[in-house]
Amino acid sequence: MKIQCYSNNRLPRRKVSFFLVLILQLVACSLWGQALQKKVLTESDYPKWGQLQLYKLNTTGQWVSYGMSYESGLDTLFLTNTKSLKTFAFPLGKRADFITQDCFAYYTTEGLHLMNVKTGKQEIVPHATQYLYTTKAKRLLILVKESKNEGTLHIRDLSGTIQEQITGVTEFLIDPSEKIILYATSIQEQNCMNILELSHSNRKITICKGLGTYRNLTWHIESKAVAFMQNNPDTGSLDNTISYYSLVNKKLYNYTQSDMQKSLGDTLLISNPGRKLRISDDLKKVFFVVKSKPIPKNSQNSNVQIWNGNAKWVYPMEEKQKPFQESYLTAWFPFQNQGKLISSSFLPKILLNGDQKYALLSNEKQYEPQFAYESPRDFYLLNISTGNNKLLLKNHSGYNSYTISSPKGRYITYFKEKNWWVYDIAKNRHINITENIRQPFFHNEKEHPNNINAYPALGWTMQEKEIILCDQYDLWAITPDGSSARRLTKGREMQTKFRLAGYSSMFTGKENYDGRIDEIIDLKTGLLLEASNKLGGSGYYRLTSDSNEKIIFSNGTALDQLMQSDKGNTFVYREQDYDLSPRLMLGGKGEKSSKIIYQSNPQQKHFFWGKSILIPYQNSKGQALQAILYYPAKYDSLKKYPMVVYVYEKLSQHLNKYINPSQYIGDGQFNISTFTTQDYFVLAPDISYEIGNVGVSATDCVVSATREVIAKKLIFPNKIGITGHSFGGYETDFIITQTNLFAAAVAGSAATDMSSLYLTIGWNNGRPDMWRFENQQWRMGKSLFEDQAGYNRNSPIMHVDNITTPLLSWTGDNDMQVNWNQSIEFYLALRRLKKQHIMLLYPKEGHTLEVKQNQKDLHVRIHEWFDYHLKDSPAPSWISKGLK
């Protein structure tokens, strides 16, 4: 591992030895509860820490599976009985699931493990790559691979009795009713597509045979037909065939490349670009993707790139998007053997409505060049059968969550002009369904310029009677004609935000080509909601037609990953706080308290540990804000301490988050726990931004929050550091140009010159970075040419001569997010001005460091940097040679 260090003096390279020792603790120490002398945490202790993850709860709530993962990779899977707390441990176990309430499955390097949880008896199936249990047919299907492409499909019951073995299976797919298998075989260069009916004594039907490989298997939603693709073994992907087999009339239909040429011309190829075949609900159409035939390149021509000034997209973005722009959705009508192109180069973006009778088409290039991330465009509604195409929405947002089909296809929901609208396809009518509700359904919580964001739409109730929408706090059920609106929760009164459980880490609805389609929500069975407030409280509720019942809520800890048994009588969840390592908790309906099933990282009790609190503060404009203050592990009220300020937008939502000490993980490579356990305070302030003054307003907030802590007389006012990564790296660099409050700074992957960054290509997507300034995180709200003074005012490089704070900066020379030349510019400016500065350049690393040796190297250097400047520790050689 080589790292380049740049400073005003030349630095020697140094080799960093790397070793990792793991102590895997499966049970609590026998000295639990006894008075122990606590120790100071050291780097050698970090590998003892692991991450707790909840996996599955069986249907009765009697068994729960979870795991501990470690940096060494020596992970452990656990299975615990929620009644007796009897626990099984499976080293290196993964992909855990309950096949039935009594049968537990997981994988290790040995293969698939099947365990009877009642008896503890286990069976190992070597080389198993896929398994499936059908509850209707009560069969267990296991695919055991004998080679890279083929394997044997074992069909058996849970007792282990094998009812059938099918050799040469390359792929299989169960139908929605879980009674029929569609599978492909390849034996001695003879390929077959077959159906096996599990409900009729395993009756097999061979649909077709051929020399080509079968793939892209799909079922009709009601199991009435199947579709699949076969390639020509001689020409490969240049000659694919689409097949459709009706289980109603037992007839096979084929659509070949030559068939397509007759109706669509010879410029297209039947493609398999990763998008599944789809059979329409009415059984009349099969949807698949075609792509333009490649144009042979003339080797005699130059490979020059032509960047046209009048191009819709800049050249790099055009190249990135070309595969998507040259692929089009096609409908094949098998009974007429006719194909119809739905999307095209003129309208390439597509989503289907719920019953696949209409398509919504658009062209994201239409209003280009423009400078938002998602370009607005006109949306057209195409009747797939008639070909009638009409303008539906003009100059409408391109965000796929702002234009969504209802599940059954009667409506198109869209967000426009700060309101949710519903378009009734049959009535050709647009209705604003939120305009008469007093609460807004939009926000700009991130304070981005020129931005109005919608609170999420969650889905439709049964028979599409109502759509479920969110405002700031609550869920609403609104009829599609807007005549009725019901507030389903009472979050506003409690200042508690209700959302679909897990909403922050997932999209609502299902993928629908270039958009999404809403799902049905059955309020009779209930909807699991997560609840949170600004003071760090969190929990879960279950929303039904009759009530919104609290399951569990905590004001002092963070709760997540909740799972319930089928009847809801038993539930498990993960609980944590900054000073409470995540633990697995068990609760029951009607029970007053929960009990601990598993406590991760029990060794923490042997070490001094810090705490986190919320502190209020005001910026210079009197705006009320808050910050997290992390205390040192061995805090003594009679002492004062150094402090590091960690900056990145708003952070108070992490108040109750546990942070494992590590040299390899951390937000922006900064691990808060490794500092609090080494006698540091850490401050994480919320920052509020002023449009056009992003750096100035960040400085105001950070300095105000820091002075609030200074006033508490907890810290040395001359021993305060500041650090941030990415946008936080920019904030760090800018803030130290405006104040001498900080004794040391560390900035990672930072932007330093807003003018040059504005005129930079984001090489990860080929898109010019202008959108970031005019509409997003950089919050300028205007172009460089409209407000050059504002760009200069908020650029660290323009104020670099003011810096008195020693700066350690770092970046990777393969950063596609923030051009690494931004760090080079700042380094050269500081060098020219003879400022104290060292830059670390990590070869072949991107926006964040991925190589473990580099992660550890950076961790060590950041600690050494702050220890030297804030604790007066002796300078290691790389600092003394770089600064003195």
Side-chain angles (χ1 to χ4, degrees), residues 257-533:
Q257 184 70 35
S258 59
D259 290 328
M260 188 177 72
Q261 289 178 0
K262 295 175 184 176
S263 54
L264 301 179
D266 61 357
T267 61
L268 300 171
L269 293 171
I270 296 174
S271 178
N272 184 35
R275 284 185 162 172
K276 289 182 64 176
L277 298 175
R278 184 173 181 182
I279 303 171
S280 64
D281 293 355
D282 62 10
L283 294 164
K284 296 179 180 179
K285 302 176 286 292
V286 177
F287 297 100
F288 64 98
V289 173
V290 298
K291 64 179 181 181
S292 300
K293 282 185 177 180
I295 300 174
K297 292 184 178 181
N298 189 336
S299 59
Q300 304 292 321
N301 294 339
S302 168
N303 61 355
V304 62
Q305 298 178 4
I306 302 177
W307 292 44
N308 291 323
N310 62 351
K312 291 283 191 178
W313 284 340
V314 295
Y315 184 89
M317 187 171 176
E318 188 74 53
E319 290 298 300
K320 289 272 189 181
Q321 294 294 323
K322 187 177 291 184
F324 308 104
Q325 291 290 310
E326 295 180 352
S327 297
Y328 315 116
L329 189 67
T330 303
W332 168 43
F333 297 80
F335 305 130
Q336 296 82 32
N337 202 30
Q338 291 293 316
K340 182 180 289 187
L341 204 61
I342 301 176
S343 61
S344 65
S345 58
F346 301 104
L347 294 170
K349 294 296 182 180
I350 183 169
L351 64 93
L352 297 177
N353 79 320
D355 60 9
Q356 308 95 47
K357 293 180 180 179
Y358 291 87
L360 206 57
L361 304 170
S362 65
N363 188 338
E364 58 187 336
K365 282 182 163 183
Q366 183 175 2
Y367 291 102
E368 296 284 1
Q370 55 81 52
F371 307 103
Y373 184 81
E374 282 289 351
S375 59
R377 73 285 301 263
D378 296 345
F379 284 83
Y380 293 85
L381 188 66
L382 171 70
N383 185 315
I384 295 175
S385 295
T386 66
N388 181 44
N389 196 14
K390 65 179 181 181
L391 178 65
L392 182 68
L393 299 169
K394 189 168 182 62
N395 197 18
H396 182 57
S397 170
Y399 284 105
N400 63 16
S401 58
Y402 286 3
T403 310
I404 317 167
S405 172
S406 66
K408 299 297 182 183
R410 292 179 59 189
Y411 308 106
I412 301 292
T413 308
Y414 60 95
F415 181 78
K416 192 171 187 176
E417 298 168 351
K418 300 182 179 181
N419 280 284
W420 281 103
W421 297 66
V422 167
Y423 174 70
D424 188 319
I425 295 176
K427 296 179 180 179
N428 189 26
R429 182 184 175 195
H430 296 261
I431 307 111
N432 185 332
I433 63 171
T434 57
E435 63 178 341
N436 294 322
I437 301 175
R438 293 183 180 179
Q439 303 302 335
F441 286 80
F442 64 91
H443 68 93
N444 188 14
E445 293 176 352
K446 292 191 174 181
E447 301 171 308
H448 289 167
N450 309 314
N451 241 354
I452 298 296
N453 298 307
Y455 290 113
L458 302 185
W460 289 76
T461 60
M462 305 296 287
Q463 287 81 50
E464 297 188 345
K465 290 183 178 180
E466 295 171 306
I467 185 172
I468 308 295
L469 302 177
C470 297
D471 72 7
Q472 182 180 2
Y473 294 104
D474 291 306
L475 274 63
W476 293 75
I478 306 172
T479 55
D481 62 1
S483 62
S484 172
R486 300 183 295 129
R487 189 159 65 107
L488 302 176
T489 57
K490 301 297 181 183
R492 188 167 295 275
E493 290 85 342
M494 302 186 293
Q495 294 291 287
T496 297
K497 180 171 70 175
F498 288 98
R499 290 294 183 266
L500 188 66
Y503 84 101
S504 60
S505 58
M506 68 178 184
F507 289 104
T508 57
K510 296 182 293 186
E511 185 178 348
N512 182 16
Y513 296 99
D514 297 309
R516 305 197 71 76
I517 185 168
D518 276 330
E519 294 185 284
I520 288 290
I521 295 172
D522 186 356
L523 290 180
K524 289 184 179 180
T525 60
L527 190 64
L528 185 63
L529 303 181
E530 63 183 48
S532 61
N533 61 38

Side-chain angles (χ1 to χ4, degrees), residues 520-749:
I520 288 290
I521 295 172
D522 186 356
L523 290 180
K524 289 184 179 180
T525 60
L527 190 64
L528 185 63
L529 303 181
E530 63 183 48
S532 61
N533 61 38
K534 292 184 178 180
L535 298 177
S538 64
Y540 289 88
Y541 286 65
R542 178 161 287 277
L543 176 66
T544 65
S545 303
D546 303 320
S547 66
N548 185 31
E549 182 180 6
K550 182 172 69 175
I551 300 172
I552 188 75
F553 193 88
S554 171
N555 283 310
T557 55
L559 312 182
D560 62 6
Q561 299 185 17
L562 184 135
M563 297 179 185
Q564 286 183 291
S565 60
D566 280 0
K567 293 183 178 180
N569 295 326
T570 302
F571 56 90
V572 292
Y573 58 94
R574 191 175 67 169
E575 181 181 29
Q576 62 183 303
D577 199 354
Y578 177 66
D579 56 0
L580 173 65
S581 183
R583 59 187 185 183
L584 182 59
M585 305 296 293
L586 171 69
K589 192 172 183 179
E591 295 182 5
K592 292 183 179 180
S593 61
S594 301
K595 65 180 181 180
I596 302 172
I597 293 180
Y598 181 84
Q599 175 64 66
S600 70
N601 304 313
Q603 71 279 0
Q604 181 194 314
K605 69 180 180 293
H606 299 297
F607 297 93
F608 293 104
W609 202 265
K611 66 176 182 178
S612 64
I613 65 169
L614 271 183
I615 63 167
Y617 80 93
Q618 291 185 344
N619 61 15
S620 65
K621 296 181 179 180
Q623 183 180 3
L625 295 163
Q626 54 190 10
I628 307 174
L629 182 62
Y630 297 91
Y631 275 66
K634 288 182 65 178
Y635 174 67
D636 182 346
S637 61
L638 300 178
K639 293 174 56 178
K640 288 187 178 181
Y641 295 84
M643 182 174 77
V644 177
V645 182
Y646 173 58
V647 294
Y648 191 94
E649 299 202 347
K650 289 181 171 60
L651 297 167
S652 62
Q653 68 273 20
H654 301 305
L655 171 68
N656 299 321
K657 178 184 177 182
Y658 188 79
I659 302 170
N660 280 9
S662 174
Q663 295 180 309
Y664 304 104
I665 58 174
D667 295 326
Q669 312 297 153
F670 177 75
N671 188 288
I672 290 172
S673 291
T674 63
F675 276 84
T676 60
T677 53
Q678 297 299 317
D679 281 344
Y680 282 93
F681 273 93
V682 176
L683 178 68
D686 283 350
I687 299 172
S688 180
Y689 299 96
E690 177 187 342
I691 303 303
N693 258 336
V694 59
V696 175
S697 52
T699 302
D700 180 17
C701 291
V702 172
V703 170
S704 297
T706 304
R707 294 200 184 281
E708 182 71 26
V709 180
I710 293 173
K712 296 179 183 295
K713 298 183 179 181
L714 302 169
I715 62 173
F716 294 110
N718 63 338
K719 296 295 182 181
I720 305 172
I722 185 171
T723 185
H725 170 251
S726 189
F727 185 71
Y730 155 76
E731 291 176 309
T732 297
D733 281 344
F734 184 83
I735 289 169
I736 63 174
T737 70
Q738 305 297 302
T739 178
N740 61 0
L741 181 61
F742 300 101
V746 177
S749 306

Side-chain angles (χ1 to χ4, degrees), residues 804-824:
T804 60
T805 303
L807 174 66
L808 174 67
S809 63
W810 63 269
T811 188
D813 68 4
N814 193 34
D815 191 341
M816 300 292 178
Q817 184 80 6
V818 175
N819 193 302
W820 62 287
N821 281 298
Q822 291 284 311
S823 294
I824 300 294

Side-chain angles (χ1 to χ4, degrees), residues 9 24 52 138 218 484 496 650:
N9 300 314
L24 181 60
L52 172 65
K138 299 188 185 306
T218 192
S484 172
T496 297
K650 289 181 171 60

